[in-house]
Every structure is written in C-alpha cells, then in structure tokens.
Amino acid sequence: MDSTILAALIGVPTTLVTAAIAYPVGRGVARRQAEDQHTQWLRTQRQSASSQLADGATEFIESADAAWEAVARPAYAHTRRRDIESRKRLDPALYEPLRAALRLMHDALPAVAIHGPDELTVAGQELYSAAVEVTGAILHLDAAAVQSSVIGAALQASSVDQQGMQAALDDLDTAYARLAAPLGLPEFSARAETTLRWSAVATDVARLAVSLDDPPAASAALDDLRRAVAGDPELTALVEPYFAVMALVELRSMVRAVEEGQQIGLDQQLAAIASAAPVMTGIFTTFRDTLQNPLPADVDRRDLPPGLSPLLESLAAVTDHLHGALRLMHDIQQHLALADELAATPLDPVTGFFAGAVWASQMEALGLRVMEELPRLTALAPQMANVTEPFLAYSSERANTEVGAVRDSFIQARIDFVDAARKAISS
C-alpha cells in the first residue's frame, strides 16, 4: 500500500480524536472566562453600590454632627435660636443636609440588596436604620430644647405670651415636618403628627390662661382645645379640668363687675361660686398630681443624677401650697351644699333666721380664707420656676446623651458595613 494512503488512513481518526478532546476543553476554558468576567463584574457592582452607601453614611455623619452641634449649643447662637422674644423661624439649612444624606443612603440600598450577598444587605439595612435613629435622637434633642425654652420662659414671665409660645411651637413642628414629609418615614411622620397635636393643645391652654378675663376669647380657646384633643384619650384626660373653666371665667367676670360697683344678687353670686369651686378643685388636683409625679414613665428615679433627686422632694413640697386651696374648695362646696339642705328643710321663721345668719357668717369666714390662700398661690409661680428649671435642663441633657449613644452605634454600624463590603468584594 502506498505510504501516502496509509498515512491518510491513520491521520483521519487521529484528527477526530484530537477534535473530540479539544472541544470540551475549549468549552471549559470559555466557561471559566465567563465566570471570571461575571465575578469581576459582580465585584465591581458590589464595590460601586457599597461605595455609594458608605459615601452617603460619611455625608450623613458630617451633617448629623453639624445639626447636633447647632441644637446642643448652650447659647443656641444660630439663626434658629428660639425664645419667646425672638420668634425666629426655622432655618431650612439646618436639617436639609441630613435629609439629603438620608435620601442618598436610602437610594443606595436597592443596589446593595440586588448584588448581595445577604450579609452585606443586612449590614446595609442596619447602617441605614442606625442613621434613622441618629436623626430621631437629634429631633428629640431639638424638641427638648424648644420645650425647655418655652416652658422656662412661661414660668419666669408674669403672664403667658401666647404669640411667642405659638411661634416657638410652630418652629418645632416645622423641624419635624421637614424630615417627615419628604422621607415618608413612619417614625417621623407619627412624631410630627403628635407634636402638632401637643403644640395645638399647649397653645390653646396658653390662650385660655390669658383669656380668663375675656369670656368670648376664653370660649373660643376652649372650642379649639376640644377640637385639638378629639380622638386622643390621653390628651383629653389631661386637659379635661379645663373644659369646665368657663365657670371660673364667669366668676372672675362677676367679681370684676362687683368691684366696679355693679349690683349683683346674692343668689347669682352663690350660683357662680358653686359652679367655679369644682372646676378649681379639678385644676388644683391635676396640678398637684403632676408635681408629685413629675418623671416620665420611662425614667427610673434611681437613674437620676445625685443632684437631681433632692429636687423631686422640693418639687413635691411645692404641693403644700395647694393643700390649703384644695381644702378651701372642698369646704366651700360643702358649705354650698349645706345651703341647699337648709333651703329644702322646713324651718320656722326664727330658726330659719338664725340658721341663715350662721350660714352667712361661715360664708364670710370662707371668704377670708380665700384672701389668705391667695398670697400662697401667688408665691407658687416663682418657686415653680426655681424647681422646674433643673428638670428642664435634665431633659435636654438626657436627650443630648442619647444623641451621643446612637451616634456611636452608627459609627460601629458603618465599620461593620465596610468590613462586610470588603469581604464580599474579595470573595
């Protein structure tokens, strides 16, 4: 056989065998190349998504520190400084960087979740949640600062500045709403709604306090107060004593009329006193109970700083000024009830005359007791200012400490996220 033909016959199967071997090998190489390319692409995507979230976290902490410094500054030397005199509105620039940084972090989360892995997704969610906690703590500190300013100034003032209080509370509402509305976060939206309601109630109570000598204005403030607490059992129970305050307003109006020389019958005077006495009893009782239990439900007396605990006793001691007034209101109500009993009991003219004279003399004695209690009640206001100020300061200090704690948690969450990102990118 020709050697050329033999070589051809041998070469054909050799080529086929070689091709059969080379095909899967080539396919494996292509698959590995594709996998390597995908792995590199995935690493790139993870790096990009992680970098966006980490950059947002860096921007957030810088913005949070700036807002914290402005809110916690003792002198509050900022365009947002609020007090009863300044009535300055919220500076939009204070919370805007916080809102933008939160939005940047929020927008980076989907890419982190898409590219995974799960550990990185969880770390990203925890980082964002920590940022929300920091924001909420700064808002809480802001609230404590504003409320301390408003309450402290109201206690120091000889009269309530309703317009100033309204301006300060509106400013606080804007601070919450600025973050609640654009972000749509349930935590801030709910807090904004609660703040708005409490602000409305506080303002209406302030309006009522300065309207006790103006029945139409007091009536309008009460109507607004009823609308403000509608549907809120806690607030309704808190302000319920004020709902009957018109009886006190009418009594003050009658006293002023008598002082001006108007003739008002004894029966009309007694009816006004009978209506006002239980109202004053309710207000004094609520005030006393609040002073005796001034701490929020989540604050344990044992957790208070050493210097603050004695002030609780001082605050409770202020209620001594109310004991006499409460006894007096009780005695007046009993005395008026006795008049009703005398009127319903058949008496001969002589017995009736003496019973009426005794009752009238006792009523005069009660009037003298009213005059004795007035200086004690008047002295209550400055004492309240002195003992309340440390509690207001403690509230702000506690809120400020909370900001520091959640900020530390955020820093740790960012470290954990960066570590998880490095691991995901290198794997």
Side-chain angles (χ1 to χ4, degrees), residues 335 342 349-365:
H335 195 61
L342 290 175
V350 176
T351 303
F353 172 79
F354 280 107
V358 171
W359 186 90
S361 65
Q362 292 175 342
M363 190 67 194
E364 184 176 350

Side-chain angles (χ1 to χ4, degrees), residues 184-196:
L185 294 173
E187 299 91 339
F188 299 146
S189 297
R191 189 176 296 179
E193 181 180 354
T194 300
T195 304
L196 287 169

Side-chain angles (χ1 to χ4, degrees), residues 64 93 145 151 212 330 334 426:
I151 295 173
L212 295 181
H330 177 71
Q334 283 193 323
S426 63

